[in-house]
Amino acid sequence: MIIPERYSRQALVSEIGEAGQKAIRQSRVVVIGLGALGSNIANILARAGVGSLCLVDRDFVDWTNLQRQGLYEEEDAANSLPKAVAAKNRLARINSEVDYEVIVDDVNSGNVEKIISGATVVLDGLDNFYTRALINEACVKMGIPWIYGGCIATYGSTATFVPGITPCFNCLFPGVSGHTSPFTCDTVGVLGPIAFMVAAWEASEALKILVGKQDQVSR
Ligand SMILES: [Zn+2]
C-alpha cells in the first residue's frame, strides 16, 4: 500500500510511520455523542484517515452549538439537522475516503454492544455518566479501548481506558453512573477553546491506540 499524499505529513511522524498509517486506515472508530467533544474529535480522526467512522448522536443541531461544535454550519442549525447527519455531510466533503456510518439514536443497554462491535476504539463525546457507565461495561466485556472526555465552563478532563492495561472507568469513578451534576453547559456555559483542547487530547490518545501503542496512553 502506498501512503496517499494527503497523509504524508502524518506518516512522516516517527511514532506513526507507514505501518501506523496503514493501521489507522484499517481501523473502525466509534464516536458517541457529536457535540462539543465528539464533533471536533470526528473532524480530527476523519482527516487522519481512519477506515470507518461511526457517528452516533440522537440530537439535532441548534444555534447554541455553533460556538464550539466545529463541524456544524448555520444551515444545519436553521434546518435542525440531526447532528450525526450534519457531521457526516461535512466530513464526507473533508475526507471522502472514510466509510461513514450514521446512527441517529441514543445509546442504551439494548444497542450499545451492537454499536461498538468491531471497534478499534470508542470515543466519548457524551454529557452524562449513565451512558458512559454503559459504554464502560460493554467495552470491558468486549475488550475494546475507550476514551472518556468532558468539558464545562473553563475546564475539562479525559481518561483513557484500555482493557487489560489500565483500570476501567468504574475503577476510577466507582458508582458514578447515577450521578447528575447541576452544572451543565446550559447553566454555566462552556468556553469554545476548552472543547477543542479536550477533543484534541482524546483524538491524540485514540491515534496512539490506532497505531498499536496502547502501552503509551496517558495513565
Ligand atoms: Zn474497573
Side-chain angles (χ1 to χ4, degrees):
M1 175 181 154
I2 296 163
I3 301 298
E5 190 180 12
R6 65 190 297 159
Y7 307 118
S8 66
R9 300 303 184 268
Q10 179 167 274
L12 277 171
V13 175
S14 63
E15 288 85 349
I16 294 179
E18 288 196 15
Q21 190 60 43
K22 285 176 193 166
I24 291 169
R25 184 78 199 134
Q26 282 158 9
S27 65
R28 174 174 196 256
V29 174
V30 178
V31 182
I32 299 178
L34 297 166
L37 297 177
S39 66
N40 295 320
I41 290 165
N43 187 2
I44 294 169
L45 294 179
R47 289 177 190 274
V50 300
S52 87
L53 187 54
C54 178
L55 304 162
V56 189
D57 200 300
R58 65 176 173 191
D59 213 353
F60 302 86
V61 181
D62 72 44
W63 290 92
T64 69
N65 301 150
L66 301 184
Q67 161 249 4
R68 65 195 178 285
Q69 303 185 15
L71 287 178
Y72 308 127
E73 301 169 5
E74 291 182 352
E75 213 173 286
D76 303 324
N79 295 328
S80 295
L81 271 194
K83 286 186 177 179
V85 173
K88 190 226 157 168
N89 291 346
R90 180 78 189 280
L91 290 169
R93 294 196 296 272
I94 289 169
N95 191 345
S96 61
E97 296 177 350
V98 177
D99 288 329
Y100 298 100
E101 184 184 347
V102 169
I103 299 178
V104 183
D105 198 356
D106 62 348
V107 173
N108 55 57
S109 57
N111 66 10
V112 61
E113 290 188 15
K114 182 165 181 277
I115 289 170
I116 70 171
S117 169
T120 318
V121 64
V122 174
L123 288 118
D124 165 31
L126 287 159
D127 59 359
N128 72 87
F129 287 110
Y130 176 77
T131 314
R132 289 181 179 120
L134 277 183
I135 290 168
N136 184 67
E137 196 181 344
C139 282
V140 168
K141 180 180 167 190
M142 298 166 80
I144 298 170
W146 78 281
I147 301 164
Y148 153 76
C151 63
I152 192 163
T154 57
Y155 61 93
S157 56
T158 81
T160 304
F161 305 109
V162 183
I165 294 182
T166 72
C168 81
F169 181 77
N170 198 46
C171 299
L172 186 61
F173 303 120
V176 80
S177 82
H179 177 76
T180 52
S181 170
F183 305 109
T184 71
C185 61
D186 296 338
T187 59
V188 297
V190 56
L191 198 68
I194 197 68
F196 286 85
M197 288 180 209
V198 175
W201 187 277
E202 287 190 72
S204 70
E205 289 288 289
L207 287 172
K208 293 178 195 173
I209 290 166
L210 296 185
V211 303
K213 298 190 190 299
Q214 277 82 351
D215 56 322
Q216 291 180 25
V217 299
S218 171
R219 305 298 291 269

